[in-house]
Amino acid sequence: MRQFDVFVWDEPQESLDAGQQPPFTDPALGWFFTDNFNDKLNESDAEWIVFANRSVKIDREFLNSLAENISAFPMVDAFAPRLRYTITESGDKKSAKFIGGFKLHKAKGIEPIKEDAPLRYVASPRPELAVFSRRIVQRTGAFDTSLPVPAQILDYALRMLHAGGRCFSVPYLVAELQGLPMAFSSENREALPHIASALAKFLGIKTARFVAAHPSVISTLWKNRKSLQEKRDKATLLSKLVPDVLKELY
């Protein structure tokens, strides 16, 4: 069994080269270049699976740091690495910025944790980079391919919580983002209905305040209400998510 498998994805799908080659190879590492995670999950046999947008630099330094954190936090089922990126300020001065995973917010739905946030559990990793253990993948099941990939990551992390998993943010587990973070938030009109769908499956009626703050999502939720309820029932049938765990995700 390999230690890590890395699933590299991109959107739009046609921008992912069919003959893409990994940046480096290692017997303990597998590479999959795909926008359909479910197609390749059966081929993966690693203990941990990294889902990375092609804009994220996956190198030995990051994977070594990930391995150290896995050993340090054996109770954790998923990690939300921080992303380091560079912005150009006035006078062409460049500065490094950091962005981490998401916490829950009753009105916004999700919001990034603070740049200097300490060790903490989060609701979801960033869509650009997520790490899940094989044991929690086996309990959570398949990705919801009715959603675009960034929302699939959020949806999967939230369903993982019902499967008994926990997602941890470690300030010193950092990967390089080559470019700017995705505009994945409730402020993004294109992302908003997909975020709403993931939250509805996760929280059910507890999304009321979020829906009130974003009434544009009502039509999406109403149109897909039967499918969303069926998926929620399946995700929560044997839910292991307890109130105390949910509270610490805000």
Side-chain angles (χ1 to χ4, degrees):
M1 178 178 284
R2 293 185 293 268
Q3 184 176 20
F4 299 116
D5 277 341
V6 182
F7 282 48
V8 181
W9 64 274
D10 201 4
E11 285 193 334
Q13 294 185 14
E14 57 266 22
S15 64
L16 189 66
D17 300 330
Q20 184 104 19
Q21 295 298 312
F24 65 95
T25 59
D26 190 288
L29 178 64
W31 293 89
F32 297 87
F33 295 87
T34 180
D35 294 293
N36 191 326
F37 303 145
N38 293 337
D39 281 353
K40 297 296 183 180
L41 277 177
N42 289 335
E43 298 179 28
S44 169
D45 70 351
E47 295 179 13
W48 288 81
I49 305 175
V50 179
F51 297 90
N53 182 264
R54 69 184 306 175
S55 63
V56 178
K57 183 180 180 182
I58 302 296
D59 54 18
R60 293 184 187 275
E61 181 182 359
F62 169 73
L63 293 176
N64 287 339
S65 178
L66 177 58
E68 291 172 359
N69 280 282
I70 289 170
S71 297
F73 304 104
M75 71 295 190
V76 174
D77 301 284
F79 285 93
R82 296 172 77 208
L83 297 173
R84 178 177 56 238
Y85 62 100
T86 302
I87 64 170
T88 302
E89 300 175 339
S90 59
D92 293 331
K93 180 182 178 181
K94 296 184 182 296
S95 63
K97 297 290 184 180
F98 294 85
I99 193 166
F102 292 116
K103 64 179 182 178
L104 295 177
H105 189 282
K106 289 183 179 179
K108 296 179 182 178
I110 55 172
E111 67 173 352
I113 60 175
K114 293 182 179 179
E115 185 173 343
D116 59 350
L119 290 162
R120 62 159 292 165
Y121 288 108
V122 295
S124 171
R126 289 283 311 173
E128 296 93 341
L129 182 60
V131 183
F132 296 100
S133 69
R134 171 157 299 280
R135 62 179 178 269
I136 200 61
V137 168
Q138 290 173 335
R139 295 209 303 264
T140 306
F143 283 80
D144 185 349
T145 55
S146 70
L147 299 169
V149 176
Q152 286 184 41
I153 298 292
L154 171 65
D155 176 77
Y156 202 79
L158 296 177
R159 285 166 46 214
M160 179 200 73
L161 292 164
H162 282 300
R166 307 289 295 279
C167 185
F168 207 42
S169 173
V170 183
Y172 43 84
L173 178 59
V174 182
E176 192 76 30
L177 178 64
Q178 298 165 326
L180 297 176
M182 293 179 178
F184 188 75
S185 71
S186 57
E187 282 74 43
N188 183 331
R189 292 181 61 185
E190 292 184 1
L192 184 56
H194 306 304
I195 293 172
S197 295
L199 289 170
K201 287 163 57 178
F202 173 58
L203 290 171
I205 193 63
K206 292 179 181 178
T207 59
R209 185 171 169 185
F210 167 74
V211 172
H214 304 281
S216 65
V217 306
I218 294 175
S219 60
T220 297
L221 297 180
W222 179 256
K223 181 175 65 177
N224 300 307
R225 64 191 183 283
K226 183 176 180 181
S227 173
L228 289 173
Q229 187 60 53
E230 290 174 351
K231 291 176 180 179
R232 172 168 167 75
D233 289 344
K234 184 176 180 180
T236 61
L237 178 62
L238 300 174
S239 179
K240 298 177 176 63
L241 180 62
V242 297
D244 287 347
V245 170
L246 182 61
K247 285 180 182 177
E248 66 185 17
L249 300 179
Y250 284 89

